């Protein structure tokens, strides 16, 4: 109605149905281009001006109005032929005001409105909308809109398609965009761009990485524009995201002339394994049956080169860029080789990086010096010496303690004639013997870690180990109603000693249940990720927590307990630490009393 009222040409008509005479106001005749005398009161002359294709709609609307006894409104839009030949869009509304005793219509009055301007405007808008939709489809753009006042955001279907989610899986919020989807290194850039647009009206178009449902970051170009209200305050921000085409060379195109010996490699991210060409096996002096998993290959490089190797790896996987690095490795035959590695990511149809491909060129080769050769070995020896020293300290401390107690009790036993004292001594001997046996068993557990180092690593799935340990702990889980969740999708498989991984996971999960808070249902969360090319396992709980200010230094020592729990032996974390470090990894802990604990193992 508002739109109608805005029109200047609104004409009145009065139709005497029985006499077939229709009064048309001058305005109606004017909107059709006729003077007063040029258009008769005969309805037929008026109907003839209606475009033929629209006449049926007019008659149909009238018949429905009549047959419904006026309850169905007469309202119809029809095109009229103007005197000059142009088309006039007319919205006609009317109502039968008189009926005869037979129920036949006698008189009908109404008005006509020239809505040509509105129709043209809508037509233009529809065309623009269609054009915009076409452009958006061509660009494969996702639209987002942020209502500043309501704090609500809208994401289009294309937006969801681009990130691989649907609307039920992730809400279209500013928080999710910045802190869930945006890469941590990019969200600050996006926030600044939006702030500059809102506060200073600076146009922006920035490239950011957004994480899709599979956990893969893809590059997007994003832009936005702010709408301001009458007070010049920002009211709405509307923008789009367009997935950037990956600058990745075809996997099979390697056309490069090498000055020195070279070979090709491919690293399969899913299998965590290298495939080498024959030439590369020769350069690295590896047997073609050699283990080409990530770690053994990585360990061939010097410590400094390992960091460079990880940086190149991350650049390809996370930034999706090509890289070129210089590495130093010591081959199994004891030769030091300087290598130039060029790599690039390979992306599948979904935009996920599935592998790296590249070349390695041998720049220089020489025989390693004893010092260089001892570098890798010395680290292993040093680590092993630390563990052996720790073991010796534990053995010395515990066995000496038991020996002293035994000596003291035996002295009393040999000198006393009192039966009560002799009985007390014998009971004490029994307890000491039991305690000594436990200590020896614990030390055996630690020694086993050293002796089992020669056991071959094999591929293990975290999920299988998780299923095993939750089966073992099923009684405790049921009794405590513990909720345990696991997400190993980022790194599902690892080369490891199965018994170690099971022991590590079992110790941490059973500790989380054992040291649960009595104020809440225990919730334990296990997750694996890849950091710098290494698998990282976190075990997080909402339990009692540990005061690390007091106990951090003693956390991984034998017989150290931090709660008055009856089952605490103070050996599990020590064994876990030794197992992790024996395999070249590290374990760390974050905890707050009353909040919970997170153990992080970098394998």
């Amino acid at each position: 109605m508002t739109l109608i009222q805005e029109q200047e040409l609104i004409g009145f008509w009065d139709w005497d149905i029985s006499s077939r005479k229709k009064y048309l106001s001058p305005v109606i005749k004017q909107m059709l281009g006729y003077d007063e005398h040029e258009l008769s009161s005969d309805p037929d002359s008026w109907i003839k001006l209606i475009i033929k294709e629209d006449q049926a709609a007019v008659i149909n609307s009238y018949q429905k109005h009549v047959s419904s006894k006026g309850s169905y409104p007469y309202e119809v839009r029809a095109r009229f032929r103007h005197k000059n030949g142009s088309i006039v869009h007319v919205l006609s509304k009317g109502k039968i005001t008189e009926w005869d005793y037979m129920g036949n219509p006698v008189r009908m009055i109404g008005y006509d409105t020239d809505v040509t301007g509105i129709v043209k405007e809508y037509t233009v808008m529809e065309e623009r909308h269609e054009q915009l939709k076409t452009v958006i489809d061509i660009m494969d753009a996702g639209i987002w809109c942020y209502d500043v006042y309501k704090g609500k955001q809208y994401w289009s279907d294309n937006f969801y398609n681009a990130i691989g989610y649907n609307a039920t899986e992730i809400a279209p919020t500013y928080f999710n965009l910045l802190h869930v989807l945006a890469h941590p290194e990019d969200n600050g850039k996006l926030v600044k761009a939006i702030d500059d647009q809102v506060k200073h009206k600076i146009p922006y178009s920035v490239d950011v990485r957004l994480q899709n449902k599979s956990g893969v970051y893809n590059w997007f170009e994003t832009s936005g524009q702010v709408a301001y209200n009458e007070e010049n305050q920002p009211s709405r921000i509307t923008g789009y995201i367009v997935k950037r085409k990956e600058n990745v060379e075809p996997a099979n195109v390697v056309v490069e002339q090498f000055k020195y010996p070279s070979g090709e490699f491919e690293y399969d991210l899913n299998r965590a394994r290298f495939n080498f060409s024959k030439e590369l096996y020769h350069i690295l002096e590896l047997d073609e049956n050699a283990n080409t998993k990530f770690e053994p290959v990585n360990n061939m490089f010097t410590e400094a080169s390992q960091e460079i190797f990880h940086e190149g790896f991350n650049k390809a996987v996370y930034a999706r860029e090509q890289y070129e690095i210089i590495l130093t490795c010591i081959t199994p035959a004891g030769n030091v080789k300087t290598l130039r590695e060029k790599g690039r990511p390979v992306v599948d149809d979904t935009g996920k990086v599935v592998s790296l491909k590249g070349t390695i060129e041998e720049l220089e080769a020489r025989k390693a010096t004893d010092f260089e050769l001892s570098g890798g070995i010395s680290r292993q020896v040093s680590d092993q010496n630390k563990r052996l020293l720790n073991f010796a300290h534990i053995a010395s401390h515990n066995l000496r303690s038991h020996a002293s107690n035994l000596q003291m009790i035996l002295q009393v036993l040999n000198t006393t004639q009192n039966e009560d004292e002799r009985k007390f001594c014998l009971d004490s001997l029994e307890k000491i013997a039991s305690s000594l046996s436990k200590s020896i068993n614990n030390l055996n557990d630690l020694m086993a870690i050293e002796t089992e180092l020669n056991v071959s690593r094999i591929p293990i799935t975290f999920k299988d180990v998780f299923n095993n340990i939750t089966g073992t702990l099923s009684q405790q889980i049921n009794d405590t109603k513990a909720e345990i969740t696991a997400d190993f999708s980022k790194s599902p498989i690892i080369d490891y000693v199965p018994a170690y991984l099971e022991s590590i996971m079992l110790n941490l999960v059973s500790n989380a249940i054992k040291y649960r808070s009595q104020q809440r249902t225990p919730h334990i969360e296990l997750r694996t990720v890849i950091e710098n090319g290494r698998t990282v396992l976190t075990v997080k709980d909402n339990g009692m927590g540990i005061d690390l200010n007091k106990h951090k230094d003693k956390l991984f020592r034998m017989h150290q307990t931090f709660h008055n729990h009856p089952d605490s032996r103070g050996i599990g974390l020590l064994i876990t630490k030794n197992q992790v470090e024996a395999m070249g990894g590290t374990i760390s802990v974050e905890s707050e009393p009353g909040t919970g604990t997170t153990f992080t193992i970098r394998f």
Side-chain angles (χ1 to χ4, degrees), residues 60-83:
N60 186 48
S61 182
Y62 168 74
Q63 289 177 340
K64 283 185 177 179
H65 181 67
V66 172
S67 61
S68 67
K69 297 300 180 185
S71 61
Y72 189 90
Y74 173 76
E75 178 176 338
V76 62
R77 182 165 63 87
R79 290 168 295 174
F80 283 71
R81 180 70 65 186
H82 193 275
K83 183 179 176 182

Short mmCIF file of all heavy atoms in Angstrom, two decimals, residues 60-83:
data_model
loop_
_atom_site.label_atom_id
_atom_site.label_comp_id
_atom_site.label_asym_id
_atom_site.label_seq_id
_atom_site.Cartn_x
_atom_site.Cartn_y
_atom_site.Cartn_z
N ASN A 60 -10.80 -13.50 -14.65
CA ASN A 60 -10.75 -14.56 -13.63
C ASN A 60 -10.86 -13.97 -12.23
O ASN A 60 -11.57 -14.48 -11.35
CB ASN A 60 -9.45 -15.34 -13.79
CG ASN A 60 -9.38 -16.53 -12.87
OD1 ASN A 60 -10.33 -17.30 -12.78
ND2 ASN A 60 -8.26 -16.68 -12.18
N SER A 61 -10.16 -12.86 -11.98
CA SER A 61 -10.22 -12.21 -10.67
C SER A 61 -11.63 -11.70 -10.37
O SER A 61 -12.13 -11.84 -9.25
CB SER A 61 -9.21 -11.06 -10.62
OG SER A 61 -9.21 -10.45 -9.35
N TYR A 62 -12.25 -11.15 -11.38
CA TYR A 62 -13.62 -10.65 -11.21
C TYR A 62 -14.57 -11.81 -10.88
O TYR A 62 -15.41 -11.72 -9.97
CB TYR A 62 -14.06 -9.91 -12.47
CG TYR A 62 -15.54 -9.62 -12.51
CD1 TYR A 62 -16.08 -8.61 -11.69
CD2 TYR A 62 -16.41 -10.36 -13.33
CE1 TYR A 62 -17.45 -8.35 -11.72
CE2 TYR A 62 -17.77 -10.11 -13.34
CZ TYR A 62 -18.28 -9.10 -12.53
OH TYR A 62 -19.63 -8.84 -12.53
N GLN A 63 -14.45 -12.91 -11.61
CA GLN A 63 -15.35 -14.05 -11.39
C GLN A 63 -15.17 -14.64 -9.99
O GLN A 63 -16.14 -15.04 -9.34
CB GLN A 63 -15.11 -15.10 -12.47
CG GLN A 63 -15.61 -14.67 -13.83
CD GLN A 63 -15.31 -15.68 -14.92
OE1 GLN A 63 -14.43 -16.52 -14.77
NE2 GLN A 63 -16.05 -15.58 -16.04
N LYS A 64 -13.94 -14.71 -9.53
CA LYS A 64 -13.70 -15.23 -8.17
C LYS A 64 -14.32 -14.30 -7.13
O LYS A 64 -14.86 -14.75 -6.12
CB LYS A 64 -12.18 -15.35 -7.92
CG LYS A 64 -11.55 -16.55 -8.60
CD LYS A 64 -10.07 -16.66 -8.21
CE LYS A 64 -9.45 -17.90 -8.83
NZ LYS A 64 -8.01 -18.02 -8.50
N HIS A 65 -14.23 -13.00 -7.38
CA HIS A 65 -14.80 -12.04 -6.44
C HIS A 65 -16.33 -12.19 -6.38
O HIS A 65 -16.93 -12.18 -5.29
CB HIS A 65 -14.43 -10.61 -6.90
CG HIS A 65 -14.94 -9.53 -6.00
ND1 HIS A 65 -14.49 -9.36 -4.71
CD2 HIS A 65 -15.88 -8.57 -6.21
CE1 HIS A 65 -15.11 -8.34 -4.15
NE2 HIS A 65 -15.98 -7.83 -5.04
N VAL A 66 -16.90 -12.41 -7.55
CA VAL A 66 -18.37 -12.55 -7.60
C VAL A 66 -18.80 -13.87 -6.97
O VAL A 66 -19.72 -13.92 -6.14
CB VAL A 66 -18.87 -12.46 -9.06
CG1 VAL A 66 -20.36 -12.80 -9.15
CG2 VAL A 66 -18.61 -11.07 -9.62
N SER A 67 -18.16 -14.95 -7.39
CA SER A 67 -18.57 -16.27 -6.88
C SER A 67 -18.35 -16.40 -5.38
O SER A 67 -19.02 -17.19 -4.71
CB SER A 67 -17.80 -17.38 -7.62
OG SER A 67 -16.42 -17.23 -7.40
N SER A 68 -17.43 -15.64 -4.82
CA SER A 68 -17.19 -15.69 -3.36
C SER A 68 -18.06 -14.67 -2.63
O SER A 68 -17.88 -14.48 -1.42
CB SER A 68 -15.71 -15.43 -3.06
OG SER A 68 -15.37 -14.09 -3.38
N LYS A 69 -18.97 -14.05 -3.37
CA LYS A 69 -19.84 -13.02 -2.80
C LYS A 69 -19.02 -11.90 -2.16
O LYS A 69 -19.38 -11.36 -1.10
CB LYS A 69 -20.79 -13.63 -1.76
CG LYS A 69 -21.76 -14.65 -2.34
CD LYS A 69 -22.66 -14.02 -3.41
CE LYS A 69 -23.63 -15.05 -4.00
NZ LYS A 69 -24.43 -14.48 -5.13
N GLY A 70 -17.92 -11.63 -2.76
CA GLY A 70 -17.11 -10.49 -2.32
C GLY A 70 -16.03 -10.80 -1.32
O GLY A 70 -15.19 -9.93 -1.01
N SER A 71 -16.02 -12.07 -0.82
CA SER A 71 -14.98 -12.36 0.18
C SER A 71 -13.60 -12.50 -0.48
O SER A 71 -12.57 -12.25 0.15
CB SER A 71 -15.33 -13.65 0.94
OG SER A 71 -15.41 -14.74 0.05
N TYR A 72 -13.57 -12.94 -1.71
CA TYR A 72 -12.29 -13.01 -2.43
C TYR A 72 -12.03 -11.65 -3.05
O TYR A 72 -12.83 -11.15 -3.83
CB TYR A 72 -12.35 -14.09 -3.52
CG TYR A 72 -11.01 -14.38 -4.17
CD1 TYR A 72 -10.16 -15.36 -3.66
CD2 TYR A 72 -10.60 -13.66 -5.29
CE1 TYR A 72 -8.94 -15.62 -4.26
CE2 TYR A 72 -9.38 -13.92 -5.89
CZ TYR A 72 -8.55 -14.89 -5.37
OH TYR A 72 -7.34 -15.15 -5.95
N PRO A 73 -10.98 -10.99 -2.71
CA PRO A 73 -10.77 -9.62 -3.18
C PRO A 73 -10.52 -9.54 -4.68
O PRO A 73 -9.87 -10.42 -5.25
CB PRO A 73 -9.55 -9.16 -2.39
CG PRO A 73 -8.81 -10.42 -2.09
CD PRO A 73 -9.85 -11.48 -1.90
N TYR A 74 -11.05 -8.52 -5.24
CA TYR A 74 -10.73 -8.26 -6.64
C TYR A 74 -9.47 -7.40 -6.65
O TYR A 74 -9.48 -6.23 -6.23
CB TYR A 74 -11.87 -7.51 -7.34
CG TYR A 74 -11.51 -7.06 -8.75
CD1 TYR A 74 -11.47 -7.96 -9.81
CD2 TYR A 74 -11.17 -5.74 -9.00
CE1 TYR A 74 -11.11 -7.56 -11.07
CE2 TYR A 74 -10.81 -5.32 -10.27
CZ TYR A 74 -10.77 -6.23 -11.31
OH TYR A 74 -10.40 -5.83 -12.56
N GLU A 75 -8.42 -7.98 -7.10
CA GLU A 75 -7.14 -7.28 -7.16
C GLU A 75 -6.30 -7.93 -8.24
O GLU A 75 -6.00 -9.13 -8.16
CB GLU A 75 -6.40 -7.35 -5.82
CG GLU A 75 -5.04 -6.67 -5.84
CD GLU A 75 -4.38 -6.68 -4.47
OE1 GLU A 75 -5.10 -6.81 -3.46
OE2 GLU A 75 -3.14 -6.57 -4.41
N VAL A 76 -5.98 -7.18 -9.24
CA VAL A 76 -5.27 -7.77 -10.36
C VAL A 76 -4.36 -6.73 -10.99
O VAL A 76 -4.68 -5.53 -11.03
CB VAL A 76 -6.28 -8.32 -11.40
CG1 VAL A 76 -7.15 -7.21 -11.97
CG2 VAL A 76 -5.57 -9.08 -12.52
N ARG A 77 -3.21 -7.20 -11.45
CA ARG A 77 -2.31 -6.30 -12.18
C ARG A 77 -2.31 -6.69 -13.65
O ARG A 77 -2.15 -7.89 -13.98
CB ARG A 77 -0.89 -6.41 -11.62
CG ARG A 77 0.10 -5.47 -12.31
CD ARG A 77 1.37 -5.33 -11.49
NE ARG A 77 2.09 -6.58 -11.34
CZ ARG A 77 3.00 -7.01 -12.23
NH1 ARG A 77 3.24 -6.29 -13.31
NH2 ARG A 77 3.61 -8.15 -12.04
N ALA A 78 -2.53 -5.73 -14.49
CA ALA A 78 -2.63 -6.00 -15.92
C ALA A 78 -1.90 -4.91 -16.69
O ALA A 78 -1.72 -3.79 -16.21
CB ALA A 78 -4.09 -6.07 -16.35
N ARG A 79 -1.51 -5.30 -17.88
CA ARG A 79 -0.82 -4.35 -18.75
C ARG A 79 -1.82 -3.73 -19.72
O ARG A 79 -2.63 -4.45 -20.33
CB ARG A 79 0.29 -5.06 -19.52
CG ARG A 79 1.47 -5.48 -18.66
CD ARG A 79 2.38 -6.42 -19.41
NE ARG A 79 1.69 -7.68 -19.72
CZ ARG A 79 2.20 -8.65 -20.48
NH1 ARG A 79 3.40 -8.49 -21.03
NH2 ARG A 79 1.52 -9.75 -20.71
N PHE A 80 -1.79 -2.43 -19.84
CA PHE A 80 -2.66 -1.70 -20.75
C PHE A 80 -1.81 -1.09 -21.87
O PHE A 80 -0.64 -0.74 -21.67
CB PHE A 80 -3.40 -0.58 -20.01
CG PHE A 80 -4.56 -1.08 -19.17
CD1 PHE A 80 -4.33 -1.81 -18.02
CD2 PHE A 80 -5.87 -0.81 -19.55
CE1 PHE A 80 -5.39 -2.26 -17.25
CE2 PHE A 80 -6.93 -1.27 -18.78
CZ PHE A 80 -6.69 -1.99 -17.62
N ARG A 81 -2.45 -0.97 -23.01
CA ARG A 81 -1.76 -0.34 -24.12
C ARG A 81 -2.02 1.16 -24.07
O ARG A 81 -3.14 1.64 -24.11
CB ARG A 81 -2.30 -0.89 -25.44
CG ARG A 81 -1.65 -0.31 -26.69
CD ARG A 81 -0.21 -0.78 -26.84
NE ARG A 81 -0.16 -2.22 -27.07
CZ ARG A 81 0.98 -2.91 -27.11
NH1 ARG A 81 2.13 -2.26 -26.91
NH2 ARG A 81 0.96 -4.20 -27.32
N HIS A 82 -0.99 1.95 -23.91
CA HIS A 82 -1.10 3.41 -23.88
C HIS A 82 -1.43 3.92 -25.26
O HIS A 82 -1.19 3.25 -26.28
CB HIS A 82 0.23 4.00 -23.39
CG HIS A 82 0.18 5.45 -23.03
ND1 HIS A 82 0.33 6.45 -23.96
CD2 HIS A 82 -0.02 6.08 -21.83
CE1 HIS A 82 0.25 7.63 -23.35
NE2 HIS A 82 0.04 7.42 -22.04
N LYS A 83 -1.99 5.07 -25.30
CA LYS A 83 -2.36 5.64 -26.60
C LYS A 83 -1.15 5.76 -27.53
O LYS A 83 -1.25 5.60 -28.74
CB LYS A 83 -2.99 7.03 -26.39
CG LYS A 83 -3.49 7.70 -27.66
CD LYS A 83 -4.11 9.06 -27.35
CE LYS A 83 -4.53 9.77 -28.64
NZ LYS A 83 -5.08 11.12 -28.34
#
